[in-house]
Amino acid sequence: MRQTRPPGPTVGHDDQEIDHLIEEEARVPASDPSAGERTGPAGDYGSPRALWRALDRHRPPGADAVTTGWRSPLRGPWLTSVYGLALLVTLPLVIVTGLLDYAAYSPQFGQAFPFDVGWLRLPPFDWPTRPAWLFQLTQGLHVGLGIVIVPVVLAKLWSVVPKLFDWPPARSVAQVLERLSLLLLVGGILFQIVTGLLNAQYAYVFGFDFYTAHYFGAWVFTAALVVHVVLKLPRLVTALRSRPPGAELGTPRAATRPEPPDPDGLVPVRPGPPTVSRRGAVALVGGGSLLLAALTVGQHVDGPLRRTAWLLPRGQDPGTGPNGFQVNRSAAAAGIRPTDTGPGWRLTLRGGGRSVTLDRAGLLAMAQHTARLPIACVEGWSTTQTWTGVRLRDLAALAGVPDPAAAHVESLERAGLFRRATLQANQVRDPDSLLALRVNGADLSPDHGFPARVIVPALPGVHCTKWVASIEFRADA
């Protein structure tokens, strides 16, 4: 039987008594499996040793049963590292594209959400207009990859879940910090995935501002990921090298064996018989990711694949005809009335101390330019259409600002986060930046912004303002 110290406080012992406790622990017979599982060698404890020992001896009811209940022989450093490597390759791309998408909203004009991010503000730069599909690519990768990696994230969590129930929860101050970073890592990625998926479905059920929570949540998760990679990368490399991947993935279920015991305790203490091979486990996760990719890619490309986009709400039935493509916010939802866009509609141009008013006939009488440009939304969908209208730089010249530094566009829409937008100099001057009047050879429909809307290469869709009422061209930003 394992000896226990007399009851009493765990603090106030001198070094000699603490050393005695350590030596006593080291004398626990190796034949006592529960003791070996619970404490390991005395050297496993860091300072303050008495604290970790006290925690170990006051175990919650059922702690041992929970720890030993995870019996899959697949668990171990190698499989965990395979899933970890997949995430190590994809997660940085998700993070970087998300930050780039934030930059695409021109935070220097105070129109990216959240507005005030303190010292987490990105270095200011002008979002480029070329290639024209830049935002379509970054936003598509951010949302698409975020969906595709969900099975990998769940598999990775499954492979390490027994460690979440370790007791004591830490054996040193350094491990406390590691566990805290792990809490932020797991909580962070689950939070980002859940809120991101709900945003893609327009299901704002979480009771807080999505943009603010997602932005700050991304930084918390990124910091935790960096700490985790620094701590665990050597173990990942060692684990991947420990077993040849070809041989491991070629092993059938009947020949699948547990890995040798590992320092992190990922290998189960009492493994059960395998129900699937490691090859099967990797194939299941990879197949799930491929399935999600197949059900998502139709949101990002035009054509027959559009009908396979079952997971996102803008790909199934966009309508027919020249205006038969996705609408993020309809005229009715924006409160646009037919009288607002009827014959009495006027566009007001301001700049250079003058004001110019044009009706739609006057705009159609100006030089028209046609460009095939994509429009992409933060929820992940995108489409490429052929737009015709007046170049923004021609309207700037008409307003008396031939070399504009910025343009402030306002919509007829009376409410909403994106009823106005400020465009950078390069966005106003680009030869394909238009106040579009027609699309695919037909007049814009009310839902697509009739009588006029902005379309700019590589600009986020919500800043391609619909139902434009006025544009102010500014000689300085």
Side-chain angles (χ1 to χ4, degrees):
M1 294 293 292
R2 180 177 177 179
Q3 297 180 0
T4 59
R5 49 183 287 194
T10 60
V11 297
H13 295 285
D14 59 23
D15 292 343
Q16 183 178 1
E17 184 175 358
I18 293 175
D19 291 341
H20 173 71
L21 290 173
I22 298 172
E23 292 170 4
E24 180 188 61
E25 188 70 21
R27 289 196 296 269
V28 174
S31 60
D32 182 354
S34 65
E37 293 159 18
R38 286 160 51 178
T39 62
D44 282 354
Y45 290 110
S47 180
R49 294 184 178 93
L51 172 62
W52 312 124
R53 283 181 169 282
L55 287 173
D56 192 16
R57 291 180 176 182
H58 296 82
R59 304 174 68 77
D64 291 327
V66 171
T67 301
T68 59
W70 305 95
R71 302 185 61 197
S72 171
L74 302 186
R75 284 192 177 90
W78 187 85
L79 188 61
T80 296
S81 297
V82 169
Y83 296 142
L85 179 62
L87 293 176
L88 187 61
V89 171
T90 53
L91 280 175
L93 192 55
V94 175
I95 293 169
V96 169
T97 53
L99 293 176
L100 287 175
D101 290 345
Y102 180 81
Y105 285 80
S106 300
Q108 66 269 30
F109 294 131
Q111 59 185 6
F113 298 100
F115 298 114
D116 185 9
V117 297
W119 56 273
L120 292 176
R121 183 177 294 105
L122 298 177
F125 68 95
D126 285 344
W127 182 252
T129 59
R130 300 293 163 174
W133 39 261
L134 179 60
F135 186 78
Q136 182 183 31
L137 174 67
T138 58
Q139 188 60 32
L141 282 175
H142 182 68
V143 175
L145 268 182
I147 292 174
V148 166
I149 65 173
V150 168
V152 187
V153 171
L154 296 179
K156 178 69 159 56
L157 292 178
W158 169 86
S159 73
V160 299
V161 70
K163 295 298 295 176
L164 301 180
F165 298 94
D166 269 356
W167 195 266
R171 297 173 183 271
S172 67
V173 174
Q175 196 175 22
V176 169
L177 298 177
E178 179 186 344
R179 300 283 287 198
L180 287 175
S181 72
L182 188 62
L183 176 65
L184 294 176
L185 180 73
V186 174
I189 195 168
L190 293 179
F191 179 84
Q192 293 299 99
I193 287 175
V194 171
T195 56
L197 290 175
L198 289 173
N199 176 65
Q201 298 295 329
Y202 301 89
Y204 300 105
V205 298
F206 28 74
F208 49 78
D209 180 66
F210 165 76
Y211 297 101
T212 300
H214 206 67
Y215 185 83
F216 287 108
W219 281 108
V220 170
F221 168 71
T222 300
L225 178 63
V226 170
V227 172
H228 188 71
V229 169
V230 169
L231 293 174
K232 295 298 184 181
L233 185 60
R235 293 281 178 88
L236 180 144
V237 173
T238 300
L240 290 176
R241 289 177 175 175
S242 68
R243 305 171 81 86
E248 196 64 39
L249 296 177
T251 302
R253 178 178 62 84
T256 297
R257 299 290 182 269
E259 295 184 52
D262 66 294
D264 291 324
L266 295 174
V267 178
V269 176
R270 298 186 181 93
T275 57
V276 67
S277 66
R278 291 185 179 87
R279 173 180 59 193
V282 172
L284 178 64
V285 173
S289 291
L290 288 176
L291 177 61
L292 291 178
L295 298 179
T296 304
V297 68
Q299 280 286 346
H300 315 300
V301 296
D302 294 300
L305 287 177
R306 186 71 71 180
R307 295 195 174 276
T308 69
W310 294 351
L311 297 183
L312 299 175
R314 289 295 185 264
Q316 286 292 298
D317 188 17
T320 58
N323 281 269
F325 56 95
Q326 292 90 333
V327 173
N328 191 34
R329 187 168 170 84
S330 67
I336 303 299
R337 301 166 299 185
T339 53
D340 296 329
T341 59
W345 173 83
R346 297 293 184 272
L347 170 69
T348 301
L349 305 177
R350 299 185 184 90
R354 58 187 297 189
S355 177
V356 178
T357 301
L358 295 167
D359 59 10
R360 198 166 190 278
L363 288 168
L364 287 169
M366 295 181 66
Q368 302 292 297
H369 179 73
T370 297
R372 185 162 179 81
L373 297 173
I375 184 168
C377 190
V378 67
E379 289 83 9
W381 65 263
S382 60
T383 183
T384 301
Q385 306 296 331
T386 301
W387 310 86
T388 301
V390 182
R391 285 186 168 110
L392 291 179
R393 65 187 189 186
D394 292 344
L395 294 175
L398 183 63
V401 187
D403 193 23
H408 185 71
V409 185
E410 293 210 18
S411 171
L412 292 170
E413 190 177 357
R414 294 169 178 81
L417 291 175
F418 301 105
R419 62 174 299 270
R420 57 174 61 91
T422 301
L423 306 179
Q424 304 162 175
N426 62 320
Q427 293 168 340
V428 181
R429 299 170 185 172
D430 191 284
D432 285 341
S433 294
L434 305 175
L435 182 70
L437 307 172
R438 298 167 63 83
V439 63
N440 299 322
D443 287 347
L444 295 168
S445 69
D447 286 343
H448 282 302
F450 181 87
R453 70 167 301 162
V454 167
I455 185 75
V456 172
L459 187 68
V462 290
H463 283 177
C464 292
T465 309
K466 297 192 286 188
W467 315 294
V468 176
S470 66
I471 307 176
E472 179 186 356
F473 296 98
R474 300 168 179 173
D476 53 59

